[in-house]
Amino acid sequence: MLIDDIISSTTRYNLHSHTQYCDGRFTMDEFAAAAAASGMLHYGFSPHSPVPIESPCNMKSADVDEYLATVKRLNDAYQGRIRFYAGMEIDYLGEKWGASHEYFRRLPLDYRISSVHFVPAPDTGEEIDVDGSPERFVKRLDQYFGGDLRYVVDTFYDRTRDMILAGGFDIIGHFDKIGLNASVAQPDIEDEPWYRSRVEEIVGLLADSDIFVEINTKAFAQRSRFFPHERYWPLLTDRRLKLVVNSDAHYTDLIDASRGEALSRLSAYAH
């Protein structure tokens, strides 16, 4: 399998990054140059997938062909130095949209990441992005969810559970990202038994799958936190889940951000 081959041969990889096609801040060409200069051997692009709702953070379906062609062009240009991959971070919106949808099965992608970013408002069903900054999350918690934090967290993990069961993807992205935002609204929420049970449920499902679990390093420098939180890493290693360390880069100077720290810490949990 592609990902197995990459991570078993080197740590000089990153399979989660965002460019001009979604909410990234640099072009694919700029990311390619930075990745090659950094000594990366394998670099994957993973734009936020098209979705059937209005979202400024997601790529447009009309751009997919150009995106795939750009990956091919970059591989031709950097042949022998670095390998680029056409991935995609696919939003799960319940039964109506996700990695198992026929649209994504038809796309000639090298791998698929699947993540939950949206939770439906309880009154209207409107899909609300709960993945942004903690400060924005707190405002949206009141605006769209009437301050019902338990509903948001439970629905996030319900969707994560259903996403795993639906399948169609290779890597699960930042599966406890909601913990960071929820902790701003309720600092001790991750110490609650019910919260940990939700995380343990997800880990159990992943253990019964062939899905890679992403250790996402994006927030470590600013928030001193990985996704999933390091407190859960013993669960991951005890169950022998397959792990891949990605930086979720939106800026070219962050393509390798905190990956070394994560890899070093992971070695302490190795069996």
Side-chain angles (χ1 to χ4, degrees), residues 1-13 15 41-42 85 212 242-245 259 263:
M1 184 179 183
L2 171 67
I3 301 171
D4 277 314
D5 292 342
I6 292 171
I7 66 175
S8 64
S9 65
T10 183
T11 61
R12 303 306 301 150
Y13 68 84
L15 302 179
L41 298 177
H42 301 273
Y85 301 93
F212 284 84
K242 300 190 297 184
L243 307 178
V244 58
V245 179
R259 288 187 67 259
L263 288 162

Side-chain angles (χ1 to χ4, degrees), residues 172-222:
I172 187 168
H174 49 65
F175 76 73
D176 75 333
K177 175 69 185 294
I178 197 67
L180 171 63
N181 287 348
S183 293
V184 175
Q186 182 185 326
D188 63 347
I189 191 169
E190 290 184 282
D191 296 322
E192 296 277 356
W194 70 266
Y195 183 95
R196 185 173 178 88
S197 72
R198 296 309 313 257
V199 174
E200 290 175 348
E201 175 190 13
I202 298 306
V203 171
L205 289 171
L206 290 167
D208 292 334
S209 76
D210 199 36
I211 297 168
F212 284 84
V213 176
E214 174 183 82
I215 304 296
N216 186 303
T217 67
K218 175 183 177 180
F220 185 76
Q222 183 180 9

Side-chain angles (χ1 to χ4, degrees), residues 46-268:
S46 55
H48 291 290
S49 71
V51 287
I53 58 174
E54 287 296 321
S55 172
C57 294
N58 290 72
M59 79 182 304
K60 306 299 183 186
S61 58
D63 291 332
V64 172
D65 287 345
E66 181 178 88
Y67 159 65
L68 295 171
T70 301
V71 176
K72 183 179 185 306
R73 173 175 62 78
L74 290 171
N75 271 319
D76 291 341
Y78 287 86
Q79 188 172 13
R81 295 176 58 192
I82 181 174
R83 178 72 183 178
F84 296 104
Y85 301 93
M88 189 171 285
E89 184 175 15
I90 301 169
D91 272 291
Y92 183 77
L93 301 176
E95 293 181 357
K96 61 181 175 288
W97 197 252
S100 61
H101 192 282
E102 182 181 0
Y103 171 76
F104 296 110
R105 292 202 304 268
R106 291 199 311 264
L107 291 180
L109 298 170
D110 293 310
Y111 62 90
R112 294 158 177 81
I113 301 173
S114 196
S115 304
V116 174
H117 297 98
F118 296 88
V119 167
D123 295 332
T124 65
E126 179 183 358
E127 297 288 351
I128 306 301
D129 184 353
V130 297
D131 184 71
S133 71
E135 295 75 22
R136 188 182 75 167
F137 174 81
V138 170
K139 293 179 181 177
R140 292 190 165 196
L141 178 63
D142 289 332
Q143 181 179 0
Y144 295 101
F145 303 103
D148 191 345
L149 184 62
R150 180 68 182 261
Y151 166 83
V152 175
V153 172
D154 271 334
T155 305
F156 178 92
Y157 283 118
D158 286 346
R159 280 200 158 176
T160 303
R161 175 199 63 210
D162 295 345
M163 178 178 76
I164 295 167
L165 293 174
F169 61 96
D170 306 290
I171 302 171
I172 187 168
H174 49 65
F175 76 73
D176 75 333
K177 175 69 185 294
I178 197 67
L180 171 63
N181 287 348
S183 293
V184 175
Q186 182 185 326
D188 63 347
I189 191 169
E190 290 184 282
D191 296 322
E192 296 277 356
W194 70 266
Y195 183 95
R196 185 173 178 88
S197 72
R198 296 309 313 257
V199 174
E200 290 175 348
E201 175 190 13
I202 298 306
V203 171
L205 289 171
L206 290 167
D208 292 334
S209 76
D210 199 36
I211 297 168
F212 284 84
V213 176
E214 174 183 82
I215 304 296
N216 186 303
T217 67
K218 175 183 177 180
F220 185 76
Q222 183 180 9
R223 307 279 183 181
S224 298
R225 178 183 180 128
F226 298 111
F227 305 116
H229 195 291
E230 194 170 352
R231 67 169 70 188
Y232 307 124
W233 290 9
L235 292 176
L236 307 181
T237 55
D238 287 349
R239 300 297 297 270
R240 304 201 184 279
L241 272 66
K242 300 190 297 184
L243 307 178
V244 58
V245 179
N246 292 324
S247 73
D248 194 355
H250 290 62
Y251 296 83
T252 54
D253 61 334
L254 298 178
I255 59 174
D256 205 22
S258 302
R259 288 187 67 259
E261 181 71 19
L263 288 162
S264 176
R265 293 190 184 201
L266 273 174
S267 66

